[in-house]
Amino acid sequence: MAVTKKNQKHRDLAQILSAASCALIAGTSPAVNAAESWDVDSAFLLYSESDGRVSAAEPVISATKNYDEETKLNFKLVADTLTGASPNGATPGDHVQTFTRPSGNGSYDVAASEQPLDDTFRDTRIALSTNWSAPINRDWAYGVGGYLSSEHDYQSVGVNSSLSRYLNQKNATLTLGLNLSNDTITPEGGVPTSLVQMPLSSTDSEFSQRSDSESKSLVDAVFGVTQVINRRTIMQFNYALSTSSGYLTDPYKIISVIDDNAGANFGGNFQSNGRDLYLYEKRPDSRLKQSLYWQTKYQLDNNDILDLSYRYMFDDWGISSHTIDAKYRFRFDKQYLEPQLRWYTQSKADFYHRYLNASNYTDVDFASADYRLGDLDTYTIGLKYGYKFADETEFYTRFSLYHQESSGDKGYGKLASQDLYPSMDAAMFIAGYKF
């Protein structure tokens, strides 16, 4: 739950550099040129997944005080509410499955052949961030900032900074960014013991052994080069390094143990202590991610803008991914229309298993059935519309459709007839106003 949202909302320094290049190609707005002015961007986002899974509502407001063209102070406030059901990691089965709620207070049943979803997924998050950027002299600039986010079972606090060097009359910019953060998770019912059987209730001795909270620290660094190729083209390259350490496991995820012994239950749920065996997942306590990013924006003769980007990421968990994103902005006087296509593909983590086998589940050091760590392909198609009024204020809206497909081991025996990798569709709508 909280881990899911943290991953979705993780600050990406590369995006900061991308935003900078966008401003360059689009031209500086009159509001930025005005001294002692404020720019405000307010938006509202709605997100909904298929099959009654996660829905989210998120208002966002960002206010920037412009002291001059290069000196700015920004505040951003985000409040999101999430409801719905989230996959708990277990496989569908040939009978009704019963799962203990994370708090240990009560349980929920999942019908035969249905995807096991925890329908208690509800949360509200408040996040506040601020950033100050200013020139040091005509060739150097810097930025510093901080952020704080809080929800009932997850808190995150961090600081960031950046240093930029302008070259060749500011046609080239070198930027180094650094982000440090510390996150604390206090899951409902405490922190479960990894790779042990899910207990029946909070009266089980496993609950009494749990700690209340765990934490992790993250360090993100990015080095970027932005180059103005000519009056119509700007290009950007980034190299990003991210390291995290501490508690990186999702305390709400479990993994099924399947019976691989010959017999009538071959491929069914393995029984232990008179019930289906589900283990709490366990991930390594450190992770090192690296990524390369390229983006080019090209302004055509008719002032339309083509925006292409590619990102390659790899880490020491065995995951590698490719992301291609393409946008084309049609510009009509005071209006614009921007279709988008995005494709993402990912290979699985070394310790990802859709399930574990009864004959060797005690031999694993790490295991997770979280689909976000498996073989994954996603496709996004979107359309953005914007209208600029005479006073330079702007209304914009975007509608996107998202499709996700997973793949992997198809199982055996009874398990082979189950849908282990269901696809997922989602829709996202954003409406905003800049003034």
Side-chain angles (χ1 to χ4, degrees), residues 128-157:
L128 175 66
S129 63
T130 184
N131 185 268
W132 167 264
S133 58
I136 299 173
N137 54 42
R138 65 185 302 273
D139 294 326
W140 292 86
Y142 75 99
V144 293
Y147 62 91
L148 172 68
S149 70
S150 179
E151 50 204 282
H152 84 283
D153 61 354
Y154 203 98
Q155 291 76 45
S156 179
V157 59

Side-chain angles (χ1 to χ4, degrees), residues 40-118:
V40 179
D41 187 353
S42 58
F44 188 81
L45 177 149
L46 290 174
Y47 173 84
S48 180
E49 297 180 352
S50 58
D51 301 323
R53 289 173 58 170
V54 176
S55 295
E58 182 180 283
V60 181
I61 185 167
S62 174
T64 302
K65 173 75 170 179
N66 302 295
Y67 294 89
D68 55 43
E69 289 189 13
E70 297 183 82
T71 306
K72 303 177 182 179
L73 177 63
N74 173 264
F75 298 96
K76 185 176 183 180
L77 176 64
V78 179
D80 51 27
T81 301
L82 298 98
T83 59
S86 177
N88 64 13
T91 61
D94 63 341
H95 59 274
V96 175
Q97 299 186 86
T98 301
F99 301 97
T100 306
R101 297 195 182 281
S103 65
N105 300 320
S107 61
Y108 59 98
D109 294 335
V110 175
S113 300
E114 293 292 326
Q115 299 299 321
L117 303 174
D118 181 357

Side-chain angles (χ1 to χ4, degrees), residues 195-215:
L195 300 180
V196 303
Q197 184 171 19
M198 169 186 281
L200 281 174
S201 71
S202 59
T203 60
D204 191 284
S205 59
E206 193 275 330
F207 269 88
S208 63
Q209 300 170 6
R210 297 183 175 187
S211 60
D212 292 334
S213 64
E214 288 284 357
S215 64

Side-chain angles (χ1 to χ4, degrees), residues 166-348:
Y166 303 119
L167 302 169
N168 190 23
Q169 299 180 333
K170 293 191 176 182
N171 285 318
T173 304
L174 307 179
T175 301
L176 178 64
L178 183 66
N179 178 80
L180 307 175
S181 66
N182 185 269
D183 300 349
T184 302
I185 182 169
T186 53
E188 297 177 30
V191 181
T193 306
S194 298
L195 300 180
V196 303
Q197 184 171 19
M198 169 186 281
L200 281 174
S201 71
S202 59
T203 60
D204 191 284
S205 59
E206 193 275 330
F207 269 88
S208 63
Q209 300 170 6
R210 297 183 175 187
S211 60
D212 292 334
S213 64
E214 288 284 357
S215 64
K216 65 179 178 182
S217 59
L218 301 96
V219 179
D220 301 301
V222 59
F223 174 71
V225 179
T226 303
Q227 175 67 54
V228 177
I229 305 300
N230 54 46
R231 59 187 295 270
R232 295 187 179 276
T233 310
I234 187 168
M235 194 172 292
Q236 179 180 6
F237 295 94
N238 291 346
Y239 168 73
L241 182 70
S242 175
T243 178
S244 52
S245 60
Y247 185 75
L248 305 182
T249 295
D250 189 329
Y252 299 112
K253 298 299 184 187
I254 58 176
I255 184 169
S256 298
V257 178
I258 301 301
D259 192 346
D260 58 344
N261 298 301
N265 194 43
F266 182 65
N269 288 70
F270 181 70
Q271 299 281 307
S272 178
N273 297 318
R275 61 184 191 274
D276 294 342
L277 179 57
Y278 310 108
L279 306 180
Y280 288 108
E281 70 152 48
K282 183 179 182 181
R283 307 180 188 186
D285 59 6
S286 66
R287 186 180 188 183
L288 177 65
K289 295 194 297 183
Q290 300 179 72
S291 66
L292 299 170
Y293 177 81
W294 162 84
Q295 182 184 32
T296 292
K297 292 176 181 287
Y298 177 73
Q299 187 173 45
L300 284 72
D301 292 338
N302 60 2
N303 286 330
D304 291 351
I305 296 177
L306 175 65
D307 182 349
L308 296 174
S309 66
Y310 168 75
R311 181 174 183 265
Y312 172 64
M313 189 282 294
F314 58 98
D315 68 11
D316 59 359
W317 284 7
I319 296 175
S320 62
S321 68
H322 303 269
T323 307
I324 297 176
D325 196 357
K327 301 174 186 174
Y328 188 93
R329 177 169 293 197
F330 297 94
R331 305 175 80 176
F332 312 102
D333 192 17
K334 296 180 178 179
Q335 305 175 74
Y336 64 85
L337 200 61
E338 185 179 271
Q340 176 192 15
L341 292 174
R342 183 178 186 272
W343 172 65
Y344 173 84
T345 185
Q346 167 187 302
S347 64
K348 67 178 183 179

Side-chain angles (χ1 to χ4, degrees), residues 417-429:
S417 63
Q418 304 294 336
D419 185 3
L420 300 182
Y421 307 95
S423 60
M424 191 273 286
D425 295 302
M428 183 171 63
F429 173 77

